[in-house]
Amino acid sequence: MFAGIALLAIMALGAMANAQDIDALAERVTEFTLDNGLHVIVIERPVAPIATFVTFVNVGGADEPVNNTGVAHIFEHMAFKGSRTIGTSDWQAELAALDKMDAAYTAWLEAGYNDAPAAELNALWQEFEHWQEQAGLHIQSEEFSQIIEREGGVGLNAFTSADGTGYFYSLPQNKAELWFYLESERFRDPVFREFYVEKDVIMEERRMRTDSNPQGRLLEEFLSVAYSAHPYRNPVVGWASDIQATTIADTRRFFETYYVPSNMTVAIAGDVDPDEMRRLAEQYFGDMPAASHPPSVKTVEPPQRGERRFVIEDQSQPLFIAGYKTVAADHPDAAALEMLSQILSAGRTSRLYRRMVQDEPLALGVQALTGFPGSRFPSLFVTFAVPNMGVPLVEIERVLEEEIDKAKAGDITQQELDRAVTNARAGVVRGLNSNMGLALNLAQAHAQHGSWREAFTYLDDLEEVTLSDLQRVARDYLIKSNRTVGVVTNVAATGS
């Protein structure tokens, strides 16, 4: 369920082919906002008797409080644990045990921070385990997901990123009311059952994806060096000590702050009646209390004062990464930076692939991308490469710099730019052929940019990019004083 840091194509699906397509889609889109602030988008798509349901919450790793990195992801796990009526045989008894369990865990944490004697720590831990066991006596694990599967639901999942959190699955269209009931149950007043069991799962996830993974370690170190102040520097999965420190009380405060109607967008795509969806939304979400809109991130990353470099010595395949500070998705230069990354590394015809993988060959794989690790705030233009055996990392860096220097010199052709725009359009069309692609992208566009139409008009920005724009953004942003470089070197090779 965790969509953490990974070198993937960052920009969301951008746009329909032209304004006529947007107008045609608009005829099938109904949107409304409940009195409490919850926004709902309904896309009629009667190609099959199914519907996809998405709840997008405009909160991610960048919004987390100090001491609780990873809490957005922790709550995402909690959202699959049911409710006061689903997943329990005796909610009141379970709740009493949960409260005592969390109190015992908090006491154990504080005692540990205060260097309490081992005997005291052991006693507190035993008390915690006792109440965890008592709570477990009343749990009917997986009942929430089992209901969905039994009623024909598929694709039940969620993700947490630096910028947002999304929940989604599909159901037969005649089961729409079931979705409204279950979704309102888990977000109106969530339960925190199996909380510490899930934290153990998340800690293991962190060990597998980061602590035991050379690429994961490189990316985590890279962000923590590239950013001095902005919370993009923190891993979405959380720092290990913060995962340990986060309690049920901490997670509930996070939920109460950010999971408010005005910060949530629902999108439904499929064979549904918009009027019926409005009625069900009013019935199941209408009495969800309005609340103050969540605080926004105020931290602004200070200007970088010079190139930053770090080296990780590891018994691993050597790796190279470099990132340049750029802009957020709503900046006028974002489209040109996206096209530049596409021209450099998207597909087998891209400049970096042809030179570094096919022709010379220097690398097993190479990629350039923008909008990393998110795009709500000023982010990074990243180049990443895995060298072939025996190829020194300095050679990888030299060739990457040469290709960037060519862009600065205006070496890119109109044919390359046209091909990049065409590829972007093709990717959009493919993504929008599914209910999931439509619902997720429209929900995210509304939540983060104020209108579902922004999911489509971005392609217009890409088509307006000129060769001079590509040259300008390369010169303005891809400079050494604005760069962070990280490498993984093989320990044995370093010591020889």
Side-chain angles (χ1 to χ4, degrees), residues 378-416:
S379 58
L380 298 168
F381 185 104
V382 172
T383 57
F384 175 83
V386 182
N388 276 318
M389 184 177 295
V391 176
L393 289 165
V394 291
E395 181 70 2
I396 295 292
E397 182 174 358
R398 180 186 68 79
V399 173
L400 287 170
E401 286 186 358
E402 282 184 4
E403 292 302 320
I404 288 173
D405 286 342
K406 289 178 183 178
K408 293 177 182 178
D411 185 60
I412 294 173
T413 66
Q414 186 64 46
Q415 183 182 15
E416 288 177 293

Side-chain angles (χ1 to χ4, degrees), residues 302-413:
Q304 193 164 317
R305 299 183 179 92
E307 185 182 60
R308 301 171 184 174
R309 285 182 171 264
F310 69 91
V311 176
I312 296 176
E313 296 181 347
D314 206 341
Q315 294 181 350
S316 157
Q317 160 75 49
L319 301 168
F320 176 90
I321 190 169
Y324 303 82
K325 299 275 179 56
T326 60
V327 298
D330 59 0
H331 192 280
D333 287 340
L337 288 162
E338 170 65 10
M339 285 295 89
L340 181 58
S341 72
Q342 293 273 328
I343 291 165
L344 286 176
S345 80
R348 294 177 178 271
T349 61
S350 66
R351 290 187 162 214
L352 294 178
Y353 186 89
R354 281 189 287 112
R355 179 174 180 185
M356 299 182 70
V357 178
Q358 285 186 340
D359 296 344
E360 298 207 6
L362 300 170
L364 292 168
V366 61
Q367 189 170 14
L369 57 90
T370 189
F372 182 76
S375 59
R376 275 170 60 198
F377 308 101
S379 58
L380 298 168
F381 185 104
V382 172
T383 57
F384 175 83
V386 182
N388 276 318
M389 184 177 295
V391 176
L393 289 165
V394 291
E395 181 70 2
I396 295 292
E397 182 174 358
R398 180 186 68 79
V399 173
L400 287 170
E401 286 186 358
E402 282 184 4
E403 292 302 320
I404 288 173
D405 286 342
K406 289 178 183 178
K408 293 177 182 178
D411 185 60
I412 294 173
T413 66

Side-chain angles (χ1 to χ4, degrees), residues 142-203:
E142 307 299 328
E143 186 176 14
F144 181 85
S145 59
Q146 288 168 358
I147 292 172
I148 294 168
E149 292 170 3
R150 187 172 62 244
E151 298 300 326
V154 295
L156 175 65
N157 215 325
F159 67 85
T160 305
S161 71
D163 286 342
T165 310
Y167 304 85
F168 49 88
Y169 59 96
S170 300
L171 279 168
Q173 57 86 218
N174 62 354
K175 301 292 183 180
E177 185 166 4
L178 175 66
W179 179 86
F180 278 96
Y181 166 70
L182 293 175
E183 205 75 351
S184 64
E185 280 280 292
R186 65 171 169 172
F187 292 131
R188 185 193 308 275
D189 189 12
V191 300
F192 294 83
R193 62 174 55 101
E194 297 182 305
F195 181 84
Y196 293 99
V197 173
E198 286 300 315
K199 283 214 307 174
D200 289 342
V201 171
I202 290 167
M203 194 71 83

Side-chain angles (χ1 to χ4, degrees), residues 12 61 69 86 107 131 148 163 172 176 189 196 214 219 227 231 244 246 253 288 339 363 367 396-397 443 456 485:
T69 61
I86 300 169
W131 289 114
I148 294 168
D163 286 342
D189 189 12
Y196 293 99
L219 293 173
Y227 286 98
Q244 181 184 56
T246 298
R253 279 193 295 272
M288 193 173 177
M339 285 295 89
Q367 189 170 14
I396 295 292
E397 182 174 358
F456 301 92
V485 177

Side-chain angles (χ1 to χ4, degrees), residues 36-55:
N36 57 18
L38 179 71
H39 194 76
V40 181
I41 303 167
V42 182
I43 311 106
E44 294 179 78
R45 196 167 182 267
V47 295
I50 59 173
T52 295
F53 301 84
V54 170
T55 300

